[in-house]
Amino acid sequence: MKKILIVFICLVVICAAGLPIANGIIMERTIKSAVVKNNKKAAKTRATPNIKILEYKRGLFSSRIKWRIENPGGLPGSDMGQLVLVNQATHGFFGVTSQTNLQETPGYMQWVNTHLNGKDPLSIQTQFSLTGTMVSTVQMNAFSIEEKGKKIDIHTLTLDVSTGKGFETLDAKGQWKGVSQGDEFVIGPVTFTSDLAQLTDIIWTGKNTFSLAQVKINDGKSDPVNLSGLNVNVSTNASEDKKTLTMVTDFHVDGIELGGKQLSDWAATFKVKQLDMAALEQGIVLYSDIMAKAGQRLEKAGGNPGNFQKILKAETTRNAPQLMSTLNGLLKKGLGIEIADLDIDLPEGKVAGSLDLNLKKDLDASNIFMFAMQPDMIFSFIELDAQLHLPYALAGGIPNLTEPLFPGMVTGFFVVQDDLLALDMHITDEKLFLNGNQVLLKQ
């Protein structure tokens, strides 16, 4: 019995001693898998930064990893910057703890040495678990810089990010206390969250939230601006067959002050319905490719930002057939745009309204030429229902709003109802009605 117990204890000790080694192997596989996955996406969209592992030294109980993120946040196709990250990892019994620094990123450290006396405000800690999940905490301490003789305070930032096995899910939450320059300029605090699942290499579904407590600008030279209580919620959901997406954005602003004029309680919901996912992916890839090539041409032309618009226009024209193909892929039956619960309080009164616009059948972008000759035909392609109410005191003196603009209109876009300007527009039986009267586009 004693021999069995001794053997069991030895096995436990050996297995326990091997756990840190195993965790080091798991972390290496996790990191290298993430790099391969990221670079696959980078090759596809060309907007995602490419990652290269420069050095990976895995020991029994610790590892050192050095990698480079190329062109972070820069213009696709241009070499506007690189981040070099160094990870010092300790292999534990239940996972791996890694500390990350940017001390080998020359541009970043030069900025830290010049503006912050060499005191790096950034710290990054990551936990790798046995199951292949990863949790990172990014902490930025507060610091101040001088800009044109004025002190700018950058406040603390905390960001927690966790990914599931295979990096197919992402949960994040963060808070930034904001930035300020005395009482003249204030932004923050800001909070944000993400709860996402990867649907394809490019598209993620789930929810994002964003909250901004205040934006205040009062430099004494122009009218003061003060925004408070901005909240934005964005959700993206796929259909059961994963062929279309629906994206919903809700926003609310508690108050806005412009030049002493108080505005309050701005709210609305925006929805894009049944967006073709294959066409959307094609559009993202095409856009990334156009931007990348434009960036490359800009570099060859000397890098003058003033030339970018001209270069981008030429590149867009060169890709016109592909852009038309993407547009046709998006203009599918069921595609719709909806605005609901529009509610804006103004000193003159309330603005309220809604819009529901949908495609009844596939629409080819080339049909625009047919609509130019027979404009009424567009009503066979779309469904429309729209209402809008404005305070008469806001725009009642603008004649173009209440008077017919062409012979096919019986009323203007708005009619007067008590102290309101009202719009009611809808399509019934392939005919357009405005404020109860049919609109004839072709006389």
Side-chain angles (χ1 to χ4, degrees):
M1 186 70 179
K2 289 184 178 179
K3 290 183 178 179
I4 296 175
L5 182 60
I6 291 172
V7 170
F8 177 75
I9 292 173
C10 289
L11 287 173
V12 171
V13 171
I14 292 171
C15 290
L19 279 176
I21 300 173
N23 284 330
I25 295 172
I26 291 172
M27 185 188 75
E28 182 176 3
R29 290 176 178 174
T30 300
I31 289 176
K32 289 184 176 180
S33 172
V35 169
V36 170
K37 198 167 187 177
N38 177 86
N39 291 346
K40 178 183 177 182
K41 179 180 176 181
K44 192 171 184 178
T45 68
R46 303 187 68 173
T48 302
N50 195 69
I51 298 176
K52 183 176 182 179
I53 295 178
L54 305 175
E55 176 185 307
Y56 203 117
K57 293 182 178 179
R58 175 170 56 81
L60 296 178
F61 303 104
S62 65
S63 295
R64 183 179 189 273
I65 310 102
K66 180 178 177 181
W67 47 2
R68 181 172 66 216
I69 302 177
E70 300 172 341
N71 190 35
L75 181 69
S78 65
D79 187 16
M80 296 183 68
Q82 295 182 347
L83 285 177
V84 178
L85 294 89
V86 177
N87 289 63
Q88 297 287 352
T90 301
H91 308 164
F93 291 104
F94 302 105
V96 174
T97 300
S98 172
Q99 299 289 339
T100 304
N101 66 70
L102 280 69
Q103 294 178 5
E104 295 193 31
T105 302
Y108 175 74
M109 290 310 301
Q110 181 181 358
W111 183 83
V112 169
N113 292 329
T114 301
H115 296 278
L116 305 180
N117 297 319
K119 189 175 181 180
D120 188 355
L122 192 65
S123 65
I124 305 171
Q125 179 174 292
T126 303
Q127 298 278 348
F128 298 87
S129 74
L130 283 167
T131 60
T133 61
M134 186 176 72
V135 179
S136 294
T137 298
V138 180
Q139 179 73 43
M140 184 185 73
N141 296 326
F143 60 90
S144 300
I145 59 175
E146 293 285 335
E147 185 70 28
K148 296 181 179 180
K150 294 186 177 182
K151 180 184 176 184
I152 299 176
D153 296 313
I154 314 296
H155 305 294
T156 57
L157 166 71
T158 302
L159 174 64
D160 296 308
V161 180
S162 62
T163 60
K165 186 176 181 180
F167 295 89
E168 294 181 351
T169 61
L170 183 147
D171 291 303
K173 62 179 179 179
Q175 182 180 56
W176 179 40
K177 294 296 182 64
V179 57
S180 59
Q181 182 180 306
D183 291 330
E184 296 181 7
F185 178 73
V186 177
I187 295 180
V190 175
T191 58
F192 47 90
T193 67
S194 292
D195 182 5
L196 305 174
Q198 189 173 29
L199 194 60
T200 70
D201 286 340
I202 298 174
I203 296 174
W204 293 68
T205 59
K207 296 181 179 180
N208 294 286
T209 69
F210 174 85
S211 177
L212 172 61
Q214 183 183 36
V215 174
K216 179 182 178 182
I217 303 173
N218 188 6
D219 58 6
K221 299 177 182 179
S222 56
D223 290 337
V225 176
N226 197 344
L227 179 148
S228 61
L230 170 63
N231 292 281
V232 181
N233 301 302
V234 181
S235 64
T236 303
N237 299 293
S239 59
E240 289 188 10
D241 59 7
K242 294 182 172 56
K243 290 184 177 180
T244 63
L245 294 173
T246 294
M247 293 180 283
V248 181
T249 301
D250 297 307
F251 89 93
H252 182 268
V253 180
D254 288 340
I256 302 175
E257 181 181 348
L258 299 173
K261 189 175 184 179
Q262 295 285 345
L263 314 174
S264 63
D265 285 334
W266 290 41
T269 298
F270 299 92
K271 183 184 294 186
V272 179
K273 301 175 289 187
Q274 296 191 44
L275 187 63
D276 187 87
M277 193 161 63
L280 177 61
E281 277 199 294
Q282 180 184 346
I284 294 172
V285 171
L286 181 58
Y287 169 80
S288 301
D289 190 56
I290 290 173
M291 293 297 292
K293 289 179 179 177
Q296 292 166 354
R297 294 181 188 278
L298 178 64
E299 286 184 319
K300 291 180 181 178
N304 183 357
N307 295 328
F308 183 68
Q309 283 296 113
K310 181 179 179 181
I311 293 172
L312 181 60
K313 182 178 179 180
E315 194 62 42
T316 301
T317 302
R318 191 176 292 110
N319 287 272
Q322 294 92 325
L323 288 168
M324 288 294 289
S325 174
T326 300
L327 182 59
N328 286 337
L330 292 171
L331 296 176
K332 295 287 184 65
K333 177 182 178 180
L335 175 67
I337 299 173
E338 183 178 339
I339 301 175
D341 303 322
L342 178 64
D343 190 347
I344 301 174
D345 279 343
L346 302 172
E348 296 84 358
K350 184 185 292 290
V351 176
S354 63
L355 169 72
D356 194 2
L357 176 66
N358 303 282
L359 278 180
K360 295 166 59 176
K361 50 188 175 183
D362 293 354
L363 178 62
D364 192 305
S366 63
N367 286 343
I368 189 171
F369 301 107
M370 176 183 69
F371 298 149
M373 301 297 296
Q374 297 177 288
D376 287 347
M377 287 196 65
I378 194 172
F379 303 140
S380 65
F381 284 84
I382 62 176
E383 297 173 327
L384 172 66
D385 187 15
Q387 290 83 36
L388 181 62
H389 292 86
L390 304 173
Y392 183 83
L394 179 68
I398 303 176
N400 287 343
L401 293 179
T402 55
E403 296 179 3
L405 298 183
F406 55 86
M409 297 175 64
V410 177
T411 71
F413 281 102
F414 289 87
V415 294
V416 180
Q417 292 182 355
D418 298 325
D419 59 348
L420 295 175
L421 294 177
L423 175 148
D424 181 3
M425 182 183 294
H426 61 271
I427 295 175
T428 302
D429 297 330
E430 301 184 2
K431 297 176 183 178
L432 176 64
F433 291 86
L434 175 63
N435 301 319
N437 301 283
Q438 184 179 354
V439 177
L440 302 176
L441 298 183
K442 187 175 181 182
Q443 295 290 308

